[in-house]
Amino acid sequence: MNFLYKQIIRRLLFQINPELIHDLMISFAVFFQRFDFICSIIGFVCKTKAEPVEIKGIKFQNRVGLAAGFDKDCSAAKIMSKVGFGFLELGTITLRPQPGNPKPRLFRLPEEQAIINRMGFNNIGAKAAAKNLEKIGKIDIPIGINIGKNADCPLEDAASNYLQSLEILYPYGDYFTLNISSPNTKDLRALHETEKFKNLIEPILNFVNSKPEKKPVFIKISPDIETSDLENISKMALEMNFGLIATNTTVRRDVLKKDYGDIQGGLSGRPLKELSNDILKKTVALADGKTPIMASGGIVNCKIAAEKLELGADLLQVYTGLIYEGPFFVKDILKYISNSK
Ligand SMILES: Cc1cc2nc3c(=O)[nH]c(=O)nc-3n(C[C@H](O)[C@H](O)[C@H](O)COP(=O)(O)O)c2cc1C
């Protein structure tokens, strides 16, 4: 199957504009998930034995999840839940719908097993996303909802912007991620700075703590984070009881083998691995075994997935690897992890 994907299907797909293919895939997924028998067949083909794991009171079917950005509008969760993932992170969702950055904004770098994107949180907005999730109903794996800030929202108003999205989406997620690390929304990464971060996280946690059902919050950090910010956020994670996702995409280009010219955006895939692992190691050390950590960044083969778990990640998230390795990548990772125990 992998051979078929890499030798034929991927070659065909890679002839076509990346964003167009992605949108087509999502449209197919949304169409086909209406048929329960199709979901069941996919579920049967992709099923692998894997150990469930409980983190922050959530039972994850296995440790491998879908990273944010693949299903930005929370529209294809039903079928994606059948591909073998232990959980899905949907979004990024912003309070109000927004078109994102001008196209082209998605670029493949096949020689590097990488992608550069500057999508800029194109999404249908929190209310419409909530409607999609309502329509899909309960699925049998946990759902994380990733929330971001509207591009036209000033940084001073970020907390209220995130909070309003959280209020709308709260009934639909098992956990929530605050995305403060996309390089494609101007100044977003400034939210890593201690004072700004405090102003964001406090009202979010106050809201969660006011609810009868307290759902976990994760912060998705940048691989380009300053060490002092990482130390402060990790300290607050311990004190305030939230989890961390290490990491989002990088704006660095010195990790590439070749010069691809000035393609602005966040780099993901294999070249991100070392940077992301470096932050993961530091985060694990600072977390003192108490803060739950998801690892995202550069998982393009099973060995890298296993390496991240060895470094101390509790859960993994994949995106670019899925594009290069195909739909059976999750199953392959799970088998590899189970065999290497
Ligand atoms: C096309 C594309 C869109 C993305 N959109 C988002 C997003 O909306 N929100 C987010 O938190 N991360 C987003 N990401 C980052 C991924 O979730 C992931 O953290 C990053 O790509 C590193 O993992 P990878 O190397 O496995 O791709 C996006 C990545 C790609 C390639």
Side-chain angles (χ1 to χ4, degrees), residues 67-70 72 89 91-92 106 115 117 119 121 146 179 220 247-249 268-269 272 296-299 317-321:
F70 191 88
K72 283 183 184 277
E89 188 164 312
T92 294
L106 184 56
I115 290 175
N117 92 83
M119 305 299 288
F121 296 163
N146 180 307
N179 182 358
K220 188 164 180 181
T247 66
N248 210 317
T249 55
S268 60
L272 172 62
S296 156
I299 304 178
Q317 296 189 344
V318 294
Y319 189 146
T320 306

PDB file of all heavy atoms in Angstrom, residues 67-70 72 89 91-92 106 115 117 119 121 146 179 220 247-249 268-269 272 296-299 317-321, ligand 1:
ATOM      1  N   ALA A  67      -2.164  16.579  13.625  1.00  0.00           N
ATOM      2  CA  ALA A  67      -1.816  17.947  14.052  1.00  0.00           C
ATOM      3  C   ALA A  67      -2.811  18.956  13.487  1.00  0.00           C
ATOM      4  O   ALA A  67      -3.492  18.696  12.486  1.00  0.00           O
ATOM      5  CB  ALA A  67      -0.401  18.281  13.582  1.00  0.00           C
ATOM      6  N   ALA A  68      -2.870  20.116  14.115  1.00  0.00           N
ATOM      7  CA  ALA A  68      -3.778  21.176  13.655  1.00  0.00           C
ATOM      8  C   ALA A  68      -3.382  21.670  12.272  1.00  0.00           C
ATOM      9  O   ALA A  68      -2.216  21.593  11.878  1.00  0.00           O
ATOM     10  CB  ALA A  68      -3.741  22.330  14.643  1.00  0.00           C
ATOM     11  N   GLY A  69      -4.368  22.185  11.558  1.00  0.00           N
ATOM     12  CA  GLY A  69      -4.110  22.778  10.245  1.00  0.00           C
ATOM     13  C   GLY A  69      -4.582  21.909   9.109  1.00  0.00           C
ATOM     14  O   GLY A  69      -4.769  22.385   7.992  1.00  0.00           O
ATOM     15  N   PHE A  70      -4.800  20.615   9.383  1.00  0.00           N
ATOM     16  CA  PHE A  70      -5.243  19.713   8.316  1.00  0.00           C
ATOM     17  C   PHE A  70      -6.749  19.859   8.108  1.00  0.00           C
ATOM     18  O   PHE A  70      -7.221  20.004   6.993  1.00  0.00           O
ATOM     19  CB  PHE A  70      -4.880  18.262   8.680  1.00  0.00           C
ATOM     20  CG  PHE A  70      -5.063  17.308   7.533  1.00  0.00           C
ATOM     21  CD1 PHE A  70      -4.038  17.098   6.629  1.00  0.00           C
ATOM     22  CD2 PHE A  70      -6.267  16.644   7.345  1.00  0.00           C
ATOM     23  CE1 PHE A  70      -4.208  16.243   5.548  1.00  0.00           C
ATOM     24  CE2 PHE A  70      -6.450  15.793   6.266  1.00  0.00           C
ATOM     25  CZ  PHE A  70      -5.411  15.586   5.373  1.00  0.00           C
ATOM     26  N   LYS A  72      -9.052  22.397   9.123  1.00  0.00           N
ATOM     27  CA  LYS A  72      -9.148  23.723   9.743  1.00  0.00           C
ATOM     28  C   LYS A  72     -10.571  24.096  10.130  1.00  0.00           C
ATOM     29  O   LYS A  72     -10.787  24.868  11.057  1.00  0.00           O
ATOM     30  CB  LYS A  72      -8.605  24.785   8.779  1.00  0.00           C
ATOM     31  CG  LYS A  72      -7.079  24.819   8.732  1.00  0.00           C
ATOM     32  CD  LYS A  72      -6.600  25.927   7.824  1.00  0.00           C
ATOM     33  CE  LYS A  72      -5.111  25.936   7.673  1.00  0.00           C
ATOM     34  NZ  LYS A  72      -4.411  26.619   8.766  1.00  0.00           N
ATOM     35  N   GLU A  89      -6.516  16.852  16.371  1.00  0.00           N
ATOM     36  CA  GLU A  89      -6.557  18.274  16.752  1.00  0.00           C
ATOM     37  C   GLU A  89      -7.060  19.050  15.542  1.00  0.00           C
ATOM     38  O   GLU A  89      -6.458  19.014  14.467  1.00  0.00           O
ATOM     39  CB  GLU A  89      -5.189  18.776  17.219  1.00  0.00           C
ATOM     40  CG  GLU A  89      -5.316  20.188  17.795  1.00  0.00           C
ATOM     41  CD  GLU A  89      -4.113  20.620  18.620  1.00  0.00           C
ATOM     42  OE1 GLU A  89      -3.660  19.850  19.484  1.00  0.00           O
ATOM     43  OE2 GLU A  89      -3.628  21.746  18.383  1.00  0.00           O
ATOM     44  N   GLY A  91      -8.763  22.656  13.647  1.00  0.00           N
ATOM     45  CA  GLY A  91      -8.511  24.104  13.634  1.00  0.00           C
ATOM     46  C   GLY A  91      -7.209  24.382  12.885  1.00  0.00           C
ATOM     47  O   GLY A  91      -6.692  23.482  12.202  1.00  0.00           O
ATOM     48  N   THR A  92      -6.680  25.531  13.022  1.00  0.00           N
ATOM     49  CA  THR A  92      -6.966  26.603  13.964  1.00  0.00           C
ATOM     50  C   THR A  92      -8.254  27.337  13.593  1.00  0.00           C
ATOM     51  O   THR A  92      -8.442  27.746  12.447  1.00  0.00           O
ATOM     52  CB  THR A  92      -5.801  27.599  14.000  1.00  0.00           C
ATOM     53  OG1 THR A  92      -4.658  26.963  14.545  1.00  0.00           O
ATOM     54  CG2 THR A  92      -6.101  28.836  14.829  1.00  0.00           C
ATOM     55  N   LEU A 106       0.945  27.821   0.027  1.00  0.00           N
ATOM     56  CA  LEU A 106       1.317  26.469   0.461  1.00  0.00           C
ATOM     57  C   LEU A 106       2.300  25.889  -0.553  1.00  0.00           C
ATOM     58  O   LEU A 106       2.002  25.870  -1.753  1.00  0.00           O
ATOM     59  CB  LEU A 106       0.041  25.626   0.535  1.00  0.00           C
ATOM     60  CG  LEU A 106       0.127  24.201   1.056  1.00  0.00           C
ATOM     61  CD1 LEU A 106       0.754  24.144   2.436  1.00  0.00           C
ATOM     62  CD2 LEU A 106      -1.270  23.582   1.116  1.00  0.00           C
ATOM     63  N   ILE A 115       7.329  21.161   3.974  1.00  0.00           N
ATOM     64  CA  ILE A 115       6.290  22.061   3.454  1.00  0.00           C
ATOM     65  C   ILE A 115       6.578  23.446   4.028  1.00  0.00           C
ATOM     66  O   ILE A 115       7.030  23.562   5.168  1.00  0.00           O
ATOM     67  CB  ILE A 115       4.882  21.599   3.908  1.00  0.00           C
ATOM     68  CG1 ILE A 115       4.484  20.292   3.203  1.00  0.00           C
ATOM     69  CG2 ILE A 115       3.822  22.669   3.663  1.00  0.00           C
ATOM     70  CD1 ILE A 115       3.152  19.713   3.679  1.00  0.00           C
ATOM     71  N   ASN A 117       4.243  26.828   4.681  1.00  0.00           N
ATOM     72  CA  ASN A 117       2.888  27.371   4.533  1.00  0.00           C
ATOM     73  C   ASN A 117       2.800  28.747   5.166  1.00  0.00           C
ATOM     74  O   ASN A 117       3.453  29.029   6.171  1.00  0.00           O
ATOM     75  CB  ASN A 117       1.849  26.406   5.127  1.00  0.00           C
ATOM     76  CG  ASN A 117       1.535  26.704   6.582  1.00  0.00           C
ATOM     77  OD1 ASN A 117       0.720  27.575   6.894  1.00  0.00           O
ATOM     78  ND2 ASN A 117       2.221  26.015   7.495  1.00  0.00           N
ATOM     79  N   MET A 119      -0.579  30.041   5.413  1.00  0.00           N
ATOM     80  CA  MET A 119      -2.036  30.050   5.226  1.00  0.00           C
ATOM     81  C   MET A 119      -2.676  31.233   5.962  1.00  0.00           C
ATOM     82  O   MET A 119      -3.570  31.888   5.423  1.00  0.00           O
ATOM     83  CB  MET A 119      -2.657  28.748   5.746  1.00  0.00           C
ATOM     84  CG  MET A 119      -2.080  27.465   5.146  1.00  0.00           C
ATOM     85  SD  MET A 119      -2.308  27.346   3.379  1.00  0.00           S
ATOM     86  CE  MET A 119      -4.049  27.022   3.264  1.00  0.00           C
ATOM     87  N   PHE A 121      -4.380  31.215   9.061  1.00  0.00           N
ATOM     88  CA  PHE A 121      -5.642  30.892   9.744  1.00  0.00           C
ATOM     89  C   PHE A 121      -6.869  31.150   8.863  1.00  0.00           C
ATOM     90  O   PHE A 121      -7.834  31.812   9.287  1.00  0.00           O
ATOM     91  CB  PHE A 121      -5.804  31.691  11.056  1.00  0.00           C
ATOM     92  CG  PHE A 121      -4.794  31.409  12.133  1.00  0.00           C
ATOM     93  CD1 PHE A 121      -4.646  32.303  13.186  1.00  0.00           C
ATOM     94  CD2 PHE A 121      -4.013  30.273  12.122  1.00  0.00           C
ATOM     95  CE1 PHE A 121      -3.727  32.060  14.203  1.00  0.00           C
ATOM     96  CE2 PHE A 121      -3.089  30.020  13.131  1.00  0.00           C
ATOM     97  CZ  PHE A 121      -2.945  30.924  14.173  1.00  0.00           C
ATOM     98  N   ASN A 146      -8.079  23.633  18.310  1.00  0.00           N
ATOM     99  CA  ASN A 146      -6.975  24.598  18.326  1.00  0.00           C
ATOM    100  C   ASN A 146      -7.539  25.979  17.988  1.00  0.00           C
ATOM    101  O   ASN A 146      -8.213  26.159  16.973  1.00  0.00           O
ATOM    102  CB  ASN A 146      -5.946  24.112  17.295  1.00  0.00           C
ATOM    103  CG  ASN A 146      -4.734  24.993  17.177  1.00  0.00           C
ATOM    104  OD1 ASN A 146      -4.850  26.198  16.976  1.00  0.00           O
ATOM    105  ND2 ASN A 146      -3.557  24.405  17.259  1.00  0.00           N
ATOM    106  N   ASN A 179      -3.116  28.485  20.187  1.00  0.00           N
ATOM    107  CA  ASN A 179      -2.015  28.587  19.227  1.00  0.00           C
ATOM    108  C   ASN A 179      -1.436  29.994  19.318  1.00  0.00           C
ATOM    109  O   ASN A 179      -2.062  30.958  18.881  1.00  0.00           O
ATOM    110  CB  ASN A 179      -2.564  28.300  17.823  1.00  0.00           C
ATOM    111  CG  ASN A 179      -1.473  28.338  16.772  1.00  0.00           C
ATOM    112  OD1 ASN A 179      -0.317  28.607  17.079  1.00  0.00           O
ATOM    113  ND2 ASN A 179      -1.850  28.072  15.536  1.00  0.00           N
ATOM    114  N   LYS A 220       0.490  25.744  22.333  1.00  0.00           N
ATOM    115  CA  LYS A 220       1.385  25.292  21.248  1.00  0.00           C
ATOM    116  C   LYS A 220       2.487  26.326  21.063  1.00  0.00           C
ATOM    117  O   LYS A 220       2.215  27.486  20.733  1.00  0.00           O
ATOM    118  CB  LYS A 220       0.584  25.113  19.960  1.00  0.00           C
ATOM    119  CG  LYS A 220       1.411  24.474  18.853  1.00  0.00           C
ATOM    120  CD  LYS A 220       0.518  23.956  17.772  1.00  0.00           C
ATOM    121  CE  LYS A 220       1.273  23.322  16.644  1.00  0.00           C
ATOM    122  NZ  LYS A 220       0.381  22.837  15.588  1.00  0.00           N
ATOM    123  N   THR A 247       6.407  21.245  18.690  1.00  0.00           N
ATOM    124  CA  THR A 247       6.303  22.666  18.410  1.00  0.00           C
ATOM    125  C   THR A 247       5.466  22.928  17.152  1.00  0.00           C
ATOM    126  O   THR A 247       5.113  21.989  16.449  1.00  0.00           O
ATOM    127  CB  THR A 247       7.703  23.279  18.094  1.00  0.00           C
ATOM    128  OG1 THR A 247       8.171  22.687  16.854  1.00  0.00           O
ATOM    129  CG2 THR A 247       8.699  23.034  19.176  1.00  0.00           C
ATOM    130  N   ASN A 248       5.297  24.195  16.860  1.00  0.00           N
ATOM    131  CA  ASN A 248       4.716  24.620  15.580  1.00  0.00           C
ATOM    132  C   ASN A 248       5.832  24.660  14.513  1.00  0.00           C
ATOM    133  O   ASN A 248       6.902  24.098  14.724  1.00  0.00           O
ATOM    134  CB  ASN A 248       4.079  26.007  15.763  1.00  0.00           C
ATOM    135  CG  ASN A 248       2.884  26.217  14.838  1.00  0.00           C
ATOM    136  OD1 ASN A 248       2.946  25.851  13.664  1.00  0.00           O
ATOM    137  ND2 ASN A 248       1.824  26.788  15.348  1.00  0.00           N
ATOM    138  N   THR A 249       5.600  25.344  13.417  1.00  0.00           N
ATOM    139  CA  THR A 249       6.574  25.445  12.315  1.00  0.00           C
ATOM    140  C   THR A 249       7.646  26.504  12.623  1.00  0.00           C
ATOM    141  O   THR A 249       7.457  27.348  13.504  1.00  0.00           O
ATOM    142  CB  THR A 249       5.852  25.847  11.019  1.00  0.00           C
ATOM    143  OG1 THR A 249       5.126  27.059  11.270  1.00  0.00           O
ATOM    144  CG2 THR A 249       4.871  24.780  10.571  1.00  0.00           C
ATOM    145  N   SER A 268       7.771  23.115   7.859  1.00  0.00           N
ATOM    146  CA  SER A 268       7.464  21.893   8.620  1.00  0.00           C
ATOM    147  C   SER A 268       8.121  20.701   7.947  1.00  0.00           C
ATOM    148  O   SER A 268       8.659  20.820   6.851  1.00  0.00           O
ATOM    149  CB  SER A 268       5.945  21.695   8.666  1.00  0.00           C
ATOM    150  OG  SER A 268       5.432  21.575   7.356  1.00  0.00           O
ATOM    151  N   GLY A 269       8.043  19.552   8.600  1.00  0.00           N
ATOM    152  CA  GLY A 269       8.608  18.333   8.018  1.00  0.00           C
ATOM    153  C   GLY A 269      10.021  18.072   8.509  1.00  0.00           C
ATOM    154  O   GLY A 269      10.460  18.622   9.527  1.00  0.00           O
ATOM    155  N   LEU A 272      12.580  20.416  10.218  1.00  0.00           N
ATOM    156  CA  LEU A 272      12.147  20.986  11.502  1.00  0.00           C
ATOM    157  C   LEU A 272      12.518  20.078  12.674  1.00  0.00           C
ATOM    158  O   LEU A 272      12.565  20.508  13.830  1.00  0.00           O
ATOM    159  CB  LEU A 272      10.615  21.203  11.449  1.00  0.00           C
ATOM    160  CG  LEU A 272       9.856  21.618  12.696  1.00  0.00           C
ATOM    161  CD1 LEU A 272      10.336  22.977  13.200  1.00  0.00           C
ATOM    162  CD2 LEU A 272       8.356  21.699  12.398  1.00  0.00           C
ATOM    163  N   SER A 296       5.207  17.716  18.227  1.00  0.00           N
ATOM    164  CA  SER A 296       4.854  17.925  16.822  1.00  0.00           C
ATOM    165  C   SER A 296       6.050  18.581  16.148  1.00  0.00           C
ATOM    166  O   SER A 296       6.664  19.483  16.719  1.00  0.00           O
ATOM    167  CB  SER A 296       3.628  18.844  16.755  1.00  0.00           C
ATOM    168  OG  SER A 296       3.566  19.502  15.514  1.00  0.00           O
ATOM    169  N   GLY A 297       6.369  18.109  14.953  1.00  0.00           N
ATOM    170  CA  GLY A 297       7.482  18.739  14.227  1.00  0.00           C
ATOM    171  C   GLY A 297       8.469  17.721  13.700  1.00  0.00           C
ATOM    172  O   GLY A 297       9.274  17.181  14.443  1.00  0.00           O
ATOM    173  N   GLY A 298       8.333  17.447  12.402  1.00  0.00           N
ATOM    174  CA  GLY A 298       9.348  16.633  11.729  1.00  0.00           C
ATOM    175  C   GLY A 298       9.154  15.139  11.805  1.00  0.00           C
ATOM    176  O   GLY A 298      10.068  14.382  11.477  1.00  0.00           O
ATOM    177  N   ILE A 299       7.975  14.687  12.212  1.00  0.00           N
ATOM    178  CA  ILE A 299       7.764  13.224  12.249  1.00  0.00           C
ATOM    179  C   ILE A 299       7.445  12.756  10.821  1.00  0.00           C
ATOM    180  O   ILE A 299       6.286  12.748  10.405  1.00  0.00           O
ATOM    181  CB  ILE A 299       6.630  12.837  13.230  1.00  0.00           C
ATOM    182  CG1 ILE A 299       6.938  13.383  14.624  1.00  0.00           C
ATOM    183  CG2 ILE A 299       6.448  11.315  13.254  1.00  0.00           C
ATOM    184  CD1 ILE A 299       5.859  13.113  15.666  1.00  0.00           C
ATOM    185  N   GLN A 317       1.975  14.321  17.341  1.00  0.00           N
ATOM    186  CA  GLN A 317       1.071  14.861  16.311  1.00  0.00           C
ATOM    187  C   GLN A 317       1.806  14.878  14.971  1.00  0.00           C
ATOM    188  O   GLN A 317       2.963  15.291  14.925  1.00  0.00           O
ATOM    189  CB  GLN A 317       0.657  16.290  16.650  1.00  0.00           C
ATOM    190  CG  GLN A 317      -0.143  16.432  17.922  1.00  0.00           C
ATOM    191  CD  GLN A 317      -0.709  17.837  18.080  1.00  0.00           C
ATOM    192  OE1 GLN A 317      -0.277  18.770  17.412  1.00  0.00           O
ATOM    193  NE2 GLN A 317      -1.663  17.988  18.950  1.00  0.00           N
ATOM    194  N   VAL A 318       1.106  14.460  13.918  1.00  0.00           N
ATOM    195  CA  VAL A 318       1.740  14.470  12.594  1.00  0.00           C
ATOM    196  C   VAL A 318       0.924  15.285  11.587  1.00  0.00           C
ATOM    197  O   VAL A 318      -0.295  15.321  11.650  1.00  0.00           O
ATOM    198  CB  VAL A 318       1.939  13.045  12.015  1.00  0.00           C
ATOM    199  CG1 VAL A 318       2.934  12.253  12.834  1.00  0.00           C
ATOM    200  CG2 VAL A 318       0.639  12.282  11.920  1.00  0.00           C
ATOM    201  N   TYR A 319       1.643  15.921  10.685  1.00  0.00           N
ATOM    202  CA  TYR A 319       0.994  16.591   9.562  1.00  0.00           C
ATOM    203  C   TYR A 319       1.797  16.317   8.277  1.00  0.00           C
ATOM    204  O   TYR A 319       1.382  15.505   7.436  1.00  0.00           O
ATOM    205  CB  TYR A 319       0.860  18.104   9.810  1.00  0.00           C
ATOM    206  CG  TYR A 319       0.004  18.816   8.779  1.00  0.00           C
ATOM    207  CD1 TYR A 319      -0.791  19.900   9.116  1.00  0.00           C
ATOM    208  CD2 TYR A 319      -0.021  18.409   7.451  1.00  0.00           C
ATOM    209  CE1 TYR A 319      -1.591  20.551   8.180  1.00  0.00           C
ATOM    210  CE2 TYR A 319      -0.820  19.045   6.509  1.00  0.00           C
ATOM    211  CZ  TYR A 319      -1.589  20.109   6.878  1.00  0.00           C
ATOM    212  OH  TYR A 319      -2.365  20.734   5.943  1.00  0.00           O
ATOM    213  N   THR A 320       2.976  16.929   8.148  1.00  0.00           N
ATOM    214  CA  THR A 320       3.735  16.828   6.897  1.00  0.00           C
ATOM    215  C   THR A 320       4.058  15.367   6.549  1.00  0.00           C
ATOM    216  O   THR A 320       4.000  14.982   5.376  1.00  0.00           O
ATOM    217  CB  THR A 320       5.029  17.670   7.010  1.00  0.00           C
ATOM    218  OG1 THR A 320       4.647  18.993   7.398  1.00  0.00           O
ATOM    219  CG2 THR A 320       5.776  17.723   5.695  1.00  0.00           C
ATOM    220  N   GLY A 321       4.334  14.571   7.554  1.00  0.00           N
ATOM    221  CA  GLY A 321       4.636  13.150   7.319  1.00  0.00           C
ATOM    222  C   GLY A 321       3.487  12.440   6.631  1.00  0.00           C
ATOM    223  O   GLY A 321       3.694  11.537   5.803  1.00  0.00           O
TER     224      GLY A 321
HETATM  225  C1  LIG B   1      -0.305  23.459   5.624  1.00  0.00           C
HETATM  226  C2  LIG B   1      -0.134  23.554   7.095  1.00  0.00           C
HETATM  227  C3  LIG B   1      -1.071  24.256   7.836  1.00  0.00           C
HETATM  228  C4  LIG B   1      -0.946  24.349   9.213  1.00  0.00           C
HETATM  229  N1  LIG B   1      -1.897  25.022   9.925  1.00  0.00           N
HETATM  230  C5  LIG B   1      -1.807  25.045  11.277  1.00  0.00           C
HETATM  231  C6  LIG B   1      -2.818  25.661  12.036  1.00  0.00           C
HETATM  232  O1  LIG B   1      -3.807  26.158  11.522  1.00  0.00           O
HETATM  233  N2  LIG B   1      -2.667  25.659  13.383  1.00  0.00           N
HETATM  234  C7  LIG B   1      -1.602  25.088  14.022  1.00  0.00           C
HETATM  235  O2  LIG B   1      -1.523  25.111  15.245  1.00  0.00           O
HETATM  236  N3  LIG B   1      -0.638  24.491  13.311  1.00  0.00           N
HETATM  237  C8  LIG B   1      -0.720  24.444  11.970  1.00  0.00           C
HETATM  238  N4  LIG B   1       0.252  23.831  11.251  1.00  0.00           N
HETATM  239  C9  LIG B   1       1.420  23.255  11.969  1.00  0.00           C
HETATM  240  C10 LIG B   1       1.227  21.761  12.230  1.00  0.00           C
HETATM  241  O3  LIG B   1       0.140  21.530  13.064  1.00  0.00           O
HETATM  242  C11 LIG B   1       2.479  21.151  12.873  1.00  0.00           C
HETATM  243  O4  LIG B   1       2.614  21.651  14.181  1.00  0.00           O
HETATM  244  C12 LIG B   1       3.756  21.492  12.104  1.00  0.00           C
HETATM  245  O5  LIG B   1       3.535  21.368  10.729  1.00  0.00           O
HETATM  246  C13 LIG B   1       4.907  20.584  12.498  1.00  0.00           C
HETATM  247  O6  LIG B   1       4.591  19.235  12.314  1.00  0.00           O
HETATM  248  P1  LIG B   1       4.980  18.392  11.000  1.00  0.00           P
HETATM  249  O7  LIG B   1       6.445  18.582  10.771  1.00  0.00           O
HETATM  250  O8  LIG B   1       4.562  16.998  11.335  1.00  0.00           O
HETATM  251  O9  LIG B   1       4.173  18.959   9.887  1.00  0.00           O
HETATM  252  C14 LIG B   1       0.156  23.730   9.856  1.00  0.00           C
HETATM  253  C15 LIG B   1       1.084  23.021   9.115  1.00  0.00           C
HETATM  254  C16 LIG B   1       0.948  22.919   7.749  1.00  0.00           C
HETATM  255  C17 LIG B   1       1.971  22.131   6.965  1.00  0.00           C
END
